[in-house]
Amino acid sequence: MRAILTVLFMAMCCNGISAQKSIRGIVTDSVTGKPLEMANITLLRQGKPIRFTKTNANGVFTVSVLSGDELRATFLGYRKQVVTIPSGNTVNISLAPEAFLLKEVMVKGAPVTGRADTITYDLSRYATGRDNTLSDVLKRLPGVDVSKSGQVTYLGEPIKRFTVEGLDLTGGRYRKMTEALKAKDVDKAEVIEHDQPVKALHGKVFTDDVAMNIKLKAEARDKWLPTLSPRLGIGDDIYLGGKAEVLQVGKVRQQLYEGELDRTGRQLSYNNMRLASSTYSAESRETDLPEWFSIPELSEPIDGECLRRNLSHNWDFSRIAKKEQGIESRFTANYLHTTEWQATENESQYYLTNEPTITRQNRQMHLSRDAIDLSFNQKLNQAKAYGNESLTAELAFTDGIANINSVINQCTKQTKIYLQNAFNRLFVNDNYQLSVFSDIELARDLSRLQINDKEQQLNDLQAYTHNYLSWLRQRLFSTISIKGGFKTDYLNVKGDNMHLTFYAAPSYKWEHNRLTVRASMTVEWEYFTRQRRSFLSPSPSLSLNYKPNSRAEWLVYGNYSHQTGSWADFALDDYQTDYRTYHHSSGIIPRTRAFASGLNYTYKRPVREFFWVCRAGYSHIRSNAASDLQIIDGKYYRTYTALDTDADSYSLSTDISKGFFEWRVKTRLGIRWSYSLGQQASGGSLIGFNSHSLMLTPEISWSPTWCDITYNGNFTRSSSHSDNATLEPLLNWRQSLSLTKTIKKIDLTLSGVHYHNQIEGSPILNTLLADASIVWREEKIRLYIDIRNLLNQHEYQITRYSNASSSTSIYHLRPREIIAGIQWSL
């Protein structure tokens, strides 16, 4: 009897063991798709808790289960979920966010909240009645800054992906959206740190990218939002301009149609700048034709609207639609015409010998440019597959005319054609992932340079392709990937040039709890067919990311790389860039070896509106070639010659941003220090130089309902020393103050900018520029009158140091102008 019971007992145990299995699961946010670290997992057997575990930094957990068991996943701020054990060995659990109270992570009613790697700003609470566009509201957010070009940064880092309701309508040219969206229509701004836009890579591939997503108010979503904005300007002459746009933004479809005519000095090309591009985007251009001839461009040491005399118009169409199975299709078309004028004077001193060489230039510039851009992009983004394909076509005509010192007429004409087709495919299963990428780019450049009666012409044809295959496998805390591919760069300019590159790039990532370690080694073999030169280049890198808690984060990195100079350095033996600059190549291919390292510390307390980041960096660059500069009779002769040169750079910076929402105050302080050492070649010898720079950028704004006061400062002390000269330190500053008084629905604004510039060899120069405006706003109408350059200043002057030289320039300003307009939201 005992033997029978023993056999039965062993059989039951064997059945129990055979029914038990180990499963691997991942817990993610159902909205963002990001993995949730430290989520609680409870194993339930017949409704009773049996075992507990937590997810790791990738949102992953493992647990042994029996058939019929259940798993309960909970995470603070999310709705709990109970799932039945699946038949396979993996389980995916998505938790839906819900409102909650937590002292440090989220406080009910707070204007800034934080959860995991996502910071959420309540834009409806930061916006005031004076704010017109989304850009105006973003400038009020602590930790967020918006540049003149429209680029948005968070803690000093540029946004790599910008979406509205989860869609990227403009393909990274998001200034169109920040200017088109009205302040009254936006609701939330989400900042996602360590953004991974590819769903198939969540929890597998770590990034340092930052993304921003804008959410609209329900009443503005999916509706057509037309706006008409005519304006009249009175200055040297009377002119008309304005803008018309129609915008529709939803979660599955978005459209933007706009046209603008401008003569007020605005830089309309900012709207077409790609300000954001993520790692797996198929739209990034990898190469560009060399610029052989100098095209006169507008110089902007201060706000371009004070300097630019222009006649510009821009026409834009963008459309994106999200279909079933996560497929997004986007089409954009743009035409831009700009005509610009500018007058400048310059005196430069070069300390190449014991006696400085002085050159002077008075320039009258006229630049005309026409550009047409067409692009189509289709993207598939699923948990098991990712695909991205783009088609791009660009056509640009440029005609630049410069009159130099009233005796030299320089004319540069250029026609550029650019075509690109790129795709990226990613396939994922439970054990590994496979990625395929292919990029083909074709470019044609017809350029002509005419200096008085002398003319030269260069016609380029470039064909470029980049193809690679990548394999990745993740097990427990480790991720191993191997990437291999080749690049071919063909350039025809007075002969054929071919650059072949084959490379392999293994990498390793170890991530456990709050520590992430990444290491990689890229090995390239390059061959130049015409020059018959080959190079073998290893480029290792290492980084450590540590998050001791939800508030702080450390990043330590170092990398060593090899780089080859551009085609412009050696493809042509001799060519002339402009009326006074001549290039000669000795046939050497410039090669640089660079080491860069850094230490970053970030601390944030969103509910306290406090953000702080510190950065320290060091880099060393060693090159086998130098651009030897000699100035003879006012002519610049640059020769790439074989000379070993070294350059070192040290930098320290910190940015502190603190908001006081109850008082409607935002404060910010930036401090940056840099020290660099380098060498300038001249006459076959090397001239050593070093430079120091210290910059302070305080900022404070106060915006209660009845007024708006904003102060921005930029204080810079710079010095330069070379073997042949020691230049006097320069202490320059820029201070701006804007005062707005609100009387019911009328805003009266007076703003001024004070420039304090030390001019080399001259007394200190102080320049004060002032503007005034009055705005009357109703629900759908804004009437405004601007008076620009109120004091009718005529010139702006500044001195700059660079390498072994100094330069003093005078810029002629636009005259006093009155601009009146209306903005009508239909």
Side-chain angles (χ1 to χ4, degrees):
M1 185 67 180
R2 182 178 295 177
I4 296 174
L5 291 176
T6 302
V7 172
L8 291 174
F9 177 75
M10 293 178 64
M12 292 174 63
C13 290
C14 291
N15 287 337
I17 293 173
S18 63
Q20 190 174 24
K21 64 179 180 179
S22 178
I23 69 168
R24 180 178 183 272
I26 181 171
V27 180
T28 59
D29 186 310
S30 64
V31 177
T32 66
K34 295 181 68 66
L36 298 178
E37 179 184 2
M38 300 300 290
N40 298 298
I41 305 297
T42 305
L43 174 63
L44 302 176
R45 187 166 296 161
Q46 296 180 351
K48 297 181 179 180
I50 301 298
R51 189 177 296 112
F52 303 91
T53 187
K54 289 182 178 291
T55 59
N56 63 14
N58 297 321
V60 175
F61 68 92
T62 57
V63 64
S64 297
V65 300
L66 296 177
S67 177
D69 287 349
E70 295 178 320
L71 293 174
R72 180 174 64 200
T74 60
F75 193 69
L76 198 58
Y78 290 81
R79 190 176 299 113
K80 71 178 180 180
Q81 185 173 349
V82 178
V83 298
T84 303
I85 299 301
S87 58
N89 295 322
T90 61
V91 61
N92 295 322
I93 304 176
S94 296
L95 299 184
E98 65 178 357
F100 70 101
L101 294 174
L102 186 64
K103 186 178 296 183
E104 291 296 344
V105 179
M106 179 171 286
V107 176
K108 187 175 181 181
V112 188
T113 56
R115 180 188 292 124
D117 285 334
T118 301
I119 307 296
T120 302
Y121 296 88
D122 189 343
L123 299 182
S124 62
R125 301 186 65 185
Y126 278 100
T128 70
R130 294 178 293 270
D131 295 325
N132 186 27
T133 65
L134 169 61
S135 179
D136 296 332
V137 185
L138 293 179
K139 294 176 182 178
R140 299 189 183 279
L141 306 183
V144 176
D145 293 289
V146 183
S147 70
K148 186 65 180 180
S149 65
Q151 185 176 53
V152 181
T153 58
Y154 169 72
L155 300 183
E157 292 293 328
I159 297 296
K160 292 295 184 69
R161 186 169 66 96
F162 186 93
T163 57
V164 178
E165 296 292 349
L167 296 177
D168 180 9
L169 173 62
T170 61
R173 302 172 179 87
Y174 59 77
R175 187 177 190 267
K176 300 176 184 179
M177 299 301 291
T178 59
E179 294 295 327
L181 286 170
K182 298 299 179 284
K184 62 183 179 62
D185 296 324
V186 296
D187 185 31
K188 298 287 194 301
E190 297 174 330
V191 176
I192 303 102
E193 300 177 305
H194 304 296
D195 174 57
Q196 177 50 269
V198 181
K199 294 180 180 179
L201 299 181
H202 285 172
K204 297 181 179 180
V205 177
F206 182 89
T207 78
D208 292 316
D209 294 347
V210 180
M212 176 176 283
N213 179 56
I214 303 298
K215 291 186 176 181
L216 301 187
K217 295 177 180 177
E219 59 269 22
R221 200 178 300 132
D222 291 314
K223 294 185 178 180
W224 289 99
L225 304 173
T227 304
L228 186 64
S229 308
R231 56 178 172 261
L232 169 70
I234 303 175
D236 286 341
D237 57 358
I238 300 176
Y239 56 86
L240 297 174
K243 183 178 183 179
E245 63 187 13
V246 180
L247 177 66
Q248 182 192 37
V249 176
K251 293 186 176 181
V252 297
R253 181 179 293 105
Q254 299 179 7
Q255 301 177 77
L256 174 63
Y257 307 84
E258 66 177 3
E260 182 172 8
L261 172 65
D262 182 77
R263 290 188 61 186
T264 66
R266 294 185 66 232
Q267 177 65 289
L268 297 189
S269 63
Y270 283 158
N271 288 341
N272 302 318
M273 292 176 58
R274 191 184 302 278
L275 301 174
S277 180
S278 60
T279 304
Y280 286 86
S281 172
E283 300 175 281
S284 300
R285 178 183 293 193
E286 295 194 11
T287 187
D288 202 356
L289 286 165
E291 296 285 352
W292 304 110
F293 302 141
S294 176
I295 297 176
E297 298 283 353
L298 187 81
S299 300
E300 299 184 27
I302 59 174
D303 187 351
E305 295 182 11
C306 300
L307 303 169
R308 183 181 293 104
R309 298 169 184 261
N310 71 309
L311 172 59
S312 307
H313 53 89
N314 182 66
W315 307 91
D316 188 84
F317 163 72
S318 302
R319 186 180 189 276
I320 189 171
K322 188 174 184 178
K323 305 177 183 178
E324 297 180 356
Q325 300 179 344
I327 297 177
E328 298 177 11
S329 298
R330 181 182 66 243
F331 176 76
T332 62
N334 175 266
Y335 168 69
L336 171 66
H337 169 82
T338 60
T339 300
E340 299 174 341
W341 305 266
Q342 186 184 44
T344 60
E345 302 172 33
N346 174 268
E347 179 178 289
S348 298
Q349 299 191 49
Y350 294 85
Y351 306 98
L352 306 177
T353 62
N354 292 330
E355 293 295 328
T357 303
I358 301 176
T359 63
R360 295 180 177 87
Q361 173 184 273
N362 293 338
R363 189 186 72 166
Q364 301 285 336
M365 182 273 290
H366 177 279
L367 178 65
S368 178
R369 178 174 286 140
D370 293 89
I372 301 173
D373 297 335
L374 302 172
S375 69
F376 173 78
N377 178 265
Q378 188 164 1
K379 181 173 68 175
L380 169 68
N381 199 356
Q382 298 177 342
K384 293 292 184 180
Y386 175 81
N388 196 331
E389 182 168 7
S390 69
L391 295 169
T392 302
E394 299 177 4
L395 177 63
F397 303 94
T398 304
D399 188 353
I401 300 174
N403 180 268
I404 313 297
N405 301 330
S406 301
V407 296
I408 299 175
N409 290 312
Q410 176 180 299
C411 177
T412 308
K413 293 183 179 292
Q414 184 182 74
T415 300
K416 275 192 173 184
I417 304 172
Y418 174 79
L419 302 172
Q420 181 190 32
N421 175 222
F423 75 87
N424 192 356
R425 295 288 186 273
L426 184 66
F427 307 95
V428 180
N429 67 15
D430 294 336
N431 298 317
Y432 66 89
Q433 73 175 40
L434 189 66
S435 177
V436 180
F437 174 83
S438 181
D439 176 33
I440 299 176
E441 302 179 32
L442 300 173
R444 179 68 168 163
D445 181 8
L446 308 176
S447 297
R448 181 167 61 91
L449 174 65
Q450 182 173 345
I451 303 170
N452 291 339
D453 297 330
K454 181 183 177 182
E455 180 180 312
Q456 56 177 318
Q457 184 171 330
L458 287 174
N459 298 330
D460 294 1
L461 175 64
Q462 186 177 34
Y464 173 86
T465 182
H466 180 198
N467 305 272
Y468 70 74
L469 183 67
S470 176
W471 175 87
L472 181 145
R473 182 181 178 89
Q474 184 182 38
R475 300 188 67 179
L476 297 177
F477 309 115
S478 301
T479 301
I480 300 174
S481 69
I482 300 175
K483 179 179 176 181
F486 68 92
K487 303 176 185 178
T488 303
D489 190 3
Y490 167 79
L491 176 69
N492 180 277
V493 52
K494 291 187 176 181
D496 295 332
N497 296 270
M498 180 76 76
H499 178 199
L500 303 175
T501 304
F502 295 88
Y503 68 91
S507 65
Y508 175 79
K509 184 192 76 170
W510 184 83
E511 186 173 6
H512 182 59
N513 292 331
R514 300 184 180 276
L515 178 65
T516 301
V517 180
R518 289 174 288 174
S520 67
M521 170 65 79
T522 301
V523 180
E524 290 187 339
W525 181 78
E526 301 176 80
Y527 181 67
F528 294 85
T529 58
R530 184 177 180 182
Q531 291 77 15
R532 297 183 179 180
R533 293 291 308 278
S534 63
F535 305 97
L536 183 63
S537 307
S539 299
S541 69
L542 177 67
S543 69
L544 291 86
N545 184 281
Y546 177 62
K547 300 179 68 175
N549 50 56
S550 61
R551 302 175 185 173
E553 181 174 351
W554 291 89
L555 173 63
V556 182
Y557 65 90
N559 59 73
Y560 180 80
S561 63
H562 291 76
Q563 296 179 350
T564 304
S566 66
W567 286 121
D569 297 333
F570 59 91
L572 290 180
D573 293 335
D574 297 282
Y575 64 97
Q576 183 176 357
T577 299
D578 55 35
Y579 74 98
R580 63 179 179 181
T581 307
Y582 300 82
H583 285 260
H584 173 72
S585 173
S586 59
I588 188 172
I589 298 177
R591 295 274 296 172
T592 59
R593 291 168 290 173
F595 170 76
S597 61
L599 172 65
N600 297 349
Y601 174 73
T602 303
Y603 180 85
K604 59 182 185 292
R605 294 191 65 181
V607 297
R608 301 293 183 185
E609 301 180 76
F610 181 77
F611 302 87
W612 179 34
V613 60
C614 296
R615 297 182 177 92
Y618 166 74
S619 67
H620 174 78
I621 300 175
R622 185 172 181 83
S623 178
N624 67 333
S627 176
D628 188 295
L629 172 62
Q630 295 188 68
I631 303 176
I632 303 174
D633 296 331
K635 303 293 185 181
Y636 292 44
Y637 297 93
R638 295 185 178 273
T639 302
Y640 272 98
T641 185
L643 279 175
D644 290 335
T645 60
D646 294 275
D648 294 273
S649 178
Y650 305 82
S651 65
L652 293 172
S653 68
T654 183
D655 281 278
I656 303 173
S657 181
K658 178 70 175 78
F660 302 88
F661 182 76
E662 298 82 0
W663 301 341
R664 310 294 295 186
V665 172
K666 172 188 175 181
T667 61
R668 175 183 173 272
L669 175 63
I671 304 174
R672 287 167 175 78
W673 171 85
S674 65
Y675 174 65
S676 60
L677 303 94
Q679 296 167 308
Q680 172 68 58
S682 181
S685 60
L686 294 176
I687 303 168
F689 65 85
N690 62 72
S691 61
H692 288 82
S693 177
L694 177 63
M695 180 170 63
L696 279 72
T697 54
E699 174 186 334
I700 184 170
S701 63
W702 181 41
S703 54
T705 56
W706 56 275
C707 77
D708 196 323
I709 301 175
T710 301
Y711 168 82
N712 288 278
N714 185 312
F715 300 85
T716 303
R717 186 186 188 277
S718 59
S719 61
S720 180
H721 170 78
S722 70
D723 293 344
N724 297 322
T726 297
L727 305 182
E728 61 178 320
L730 297 180
L731 178 59
N732 295 340
W733 67 67
R734 173 192 182 276
Q735 298 185 89
S736 66
L737 181 64
S738 177
L739 307 174
T740 299
K741 172 63 177 175
T742 299
I743 305 174
K744 294 184 178 180
K745 296 182 179 181
I746 298 177
D747 302 323
L748 303 173
T749 301
L750 178 64
S751 60
V753 184
H754 172 226
Y755 296 94
H756 170 98
N757 294 336
Q758 285 189 259
I759 308 301
E760 187 179 20
S762 301
I764 294 173
L765 183 64
N766 291 282
T767 305
L768 179 61
L769 303 179
D771 300 325
S773 69
I774 179 172
V775 178
W776 177 74
R777 43 188 169 82
E778 284 289 346
E779 182 179 357
K780 293 187 176 182
I781 295 179
R782 296 173 70 99
L783 298 173
Y784 65 89
I785 298 176
D786 295 340
I787 304 177
R788 299 185 179 179
N789 196 359
L790 192 63
L791 305 179
N792 203 26
Q793 299 281 11
H794 299 290
E795 293 181 350
Y796 174 78
Q797 190 171 351
I798 189 172
T799 294
R800 293 191 179 95
Y801 293 157
S802 175
N803 298 348
S805 66
S806 65
S807 175
T808 300
S809 299
I810 299 175
Y811 300 86
H812 297 267
L813 307 178
R814 291 176 65 107
R816 182 189 297 123
E817 296 176 283
I818 300 176
I819 300 172
I822 179 174
Q823 178 183 288
W824 184 17
S825 299
L826 305 177

